[in-house]
Amino acid sequence: MYMLSEWTDVTVTGTCSHANGHLQAVAANEPTCTLSGNSAYWKCDVCGKCFSDAAAENEIAEDSTVIPATGHTYAEPSAEDWRWTKSGDTYTADVTVVCEICEYEQMLTAAVEKTAASDGTAIYTATATAGEQTFTAVMPTVYHSVTGYEDAAGNTVTADKATAAEGQTVTLTAAPAAGYGLKALTVTSGEDGVGLTAGTDGTFTFTMPDGDVTVTAEFDRNYTVAIVTDGHGTVTVDNPLAFEGDTVTLTVAPGTNYALDTLTVTDADGEEIEVTDNKFTMPAKDVTVTSRFYETYKIRVGGVQVTSKNKADVLGDGSVVYEGDQTEGTLYLTDANITGAYYEGSIAKNIFVNNADLSLTITLSGENSVSGGHYAFDIACAGVTLTGEGLLNAPASSEAFYFHRTPLTIDTTTVNAEAGNSFCMEIGSAALTIRDSSVTAVGGGNMALDAKDVTIVNSTVDATAGYSYAIYGSNSIRITDSTVTATSQSQYAVYCGYEDMTITGSVVTASSEGSEGIYVKRSLTVTDSTVETTGWYQGLTVDGALTLEGDSEL
């Protein structure tokens, strides 16, 4: 027997037989929530090897016997387990969960999302996670109070809800007492104001905040604005019930062919209130707005529009008077000297008429002059008769008479008209009738007399054209018991278009330096008349029949 004097490391060589009681059984242990367990196995206390069987035939790694800890399995928390905390305008949430196995408690911090229900109610949803478990909760809806308004005078503001949740719409209805009106309305939650939206029916709405609200209103005495008109226009007011000091705006709409004459505002005591730009400041009394309108006519003389206010003396010097209405009237010129003009762009028009329904008579007395404009007369209406024992001188830089397909009758008067660079009398596709009158017409750059049908009866007519026809009848020409002189520098002196021309009991002299004296596309009948024609080409051309009757000389 040998003994070692001290401990030393011993290395065992060779193969371990795991015999003689060295193979120890390791019992199985179940894992817990936080601790791992193991399955049963055998381990040699000499060599440290592990086996799955008692005969040590199946060697295994010791860590293969380990069973991991199960982890906590938390029970679903109840609503009472959730804690909601408001932070400014947002919410935070946390929840305490308890393990169903070991009763371990853990507090989880949740993420909170805000959404809205179909009626706008705010919905706060919290979501918390623990391992693979997820827990959600919806914060219980909180209803806040809505406090309306009432004052000693009986003015009230009521809400359609006594309480409301955040996000819901609340409607307010103001009910002023008799003689009062709502002047201001506010809604507050704590120190914060709440936005209001005014409805078209006098109500107001707001979105409920996350807190109690209080309605505050200001009512004051209000006063009525009454409107009185003469029936020829309308006046509307932006606020028929106004407070003292309010600015009231009036909108004036004259009727057809009318304009505003006067607009006055008086209080209940008859005191007149100043009106500036159709606005006035409301006094502490009811007021009446009175409007008066005057009639306007589509006639301008010397640049002045004829109205019911000035028709008795249009220019203020007694020389122009209008009598009539919108469909029939007479313009009296007495020793008038009309040089002013109405302008359309840069075109000056001494006498301007634009009314398709008007039949107008212009009556001349004394010596009258219409001059200085591009057009002496620019007229579009149903028809014009120029008459009277007076005289009319009408020189113009462009056209003396510019009639837009408007028939013109010159009857028992004297007219001297001269154009600068265009027609003298342009009637166009309407008729020109000269009866018992003396007419001198000079066309500077175009025709002297231009009409669809030209009729001259018992008159003296002298027509001169610079570069076109002196007398142009696109349809017909009828000359009876008259003396007519027609002179053209370049075109036919007299041209008759698509119907016959007749000359009866008259003396007609027609000369052209550039073409025929008279050109007739159809037939010409001369009865008891003397016709003298000269032309650069020839004196007379008739495409149809030429007939001489009675004592006629051609």
Side-chain angles (χ1 to χ4, degrees), residues 20 27 80 93 111 128-129 173 281 359 362 375 417 441 443 495 535:
N20 299 322
E80 291 75 16
T129 58
T173 302
T281 301
S359 294
I362 301 175
Y375 303 140
Y495 173 89

Side-chain angles (χ1 to χ4, degrees), residues 60-75:
I60 60 174
E62 188 173 16
D63 57 7
S64 69
T65 66
V66 176
I67 302 175
T70 60
H72 299 294
T73 300
Y74 296 107

Side-chain angles (χ1 to χ4, degrees), residues 223-224 267-269 271 282-287:
Y223 303 93
T224 61
D267 66 19
D269 296 328
E271 294 293 326
M282 192 70 183
K285 299 175 184 178
D286 295 339
V287 301

Side-chain angles (χ1 to χ4, degrees), residues 299-371:
I299 304 171
R300 296 177 186 269
V301 179
V304 178
Q305 184 171 20
V306 178
T307 71
S308 58
K309 295 178 65 176
N310 67 13
K311 61 191 298 184
D313 187 4
V314 176
L315 299 182
D317 59 4
S319 66
V320 180
V321 175
Y322 180 72
E323 293 181 358
D325 52 30
Q326 301 290 346
T327 59
E328 187 171 357
T330 300
L331 191 66
Y332 293 92
L333 304 185
T334 303
D335 293 317
N337 182 24
I338 300 170
T339 58
Y342 166 71
Y343 281 84
E344 280 191 336
S346 61
I347 305 301
K349 305 173 181 185
N350 298 119
I351 293 181
F352 176 67
V353 180
N354 184 20
N355 181 357
D357 299 324
L358 176 65
S359 294
L360 178 65
T361 297
I362 301 175
T363 300
L364 305 173
S365 298
E367 185 172 345
N368 300 276
S369 174
V370 180
S371 63

Side-chain angles (χ1 to χ4, degrees), residues 47-117:
C47 66
K49 291 182 179 181
C50 298
F51 301 89
S52 63
D53 58 315
E57 294 177 351
N58 185 25
E59 184 179 354
I60 60 174
E62 188 173 16
D63 57 7
S64 69
T65 66
V66 176
I67 302 175
T70 60
H72 299 294
T73 300
Y74 296 107
E76 188 69 30
S78 66
E80 291 75 16
D81 294 324
W82 288 87
R83 290 170 295 278
W84 300 86
T85 304
K86 186 175 182 181
S87 177
D89 294 331
T90 62
Y91 279 91
T92 59
D94 60 64
V95 62
T96 298
V97 291
V98 179
C99 180
E100 294 176 321
I101 298 173
C102 68
E103 297 185 351
Y104 172 78
E105 294 185 0
Q106 181 177 359
M107 187 179 75
L108 306 177
T109 299
V112 179
E113 180 184 12
K114 180 181 179 181
T115 57

Side-chain angles (χ1 to χ4, degrees), residues 477-495:
I477 297 177
R478 303 284 185 266
I479 301 174
T480 304
D481 299 330
S482 299
T483 299
V484 176
T485 302
T487 304
S488 174
Q489 295 180 9
S490 62
Q491 293 288 339
Y492 311 119
V494 178
Y495 173 89

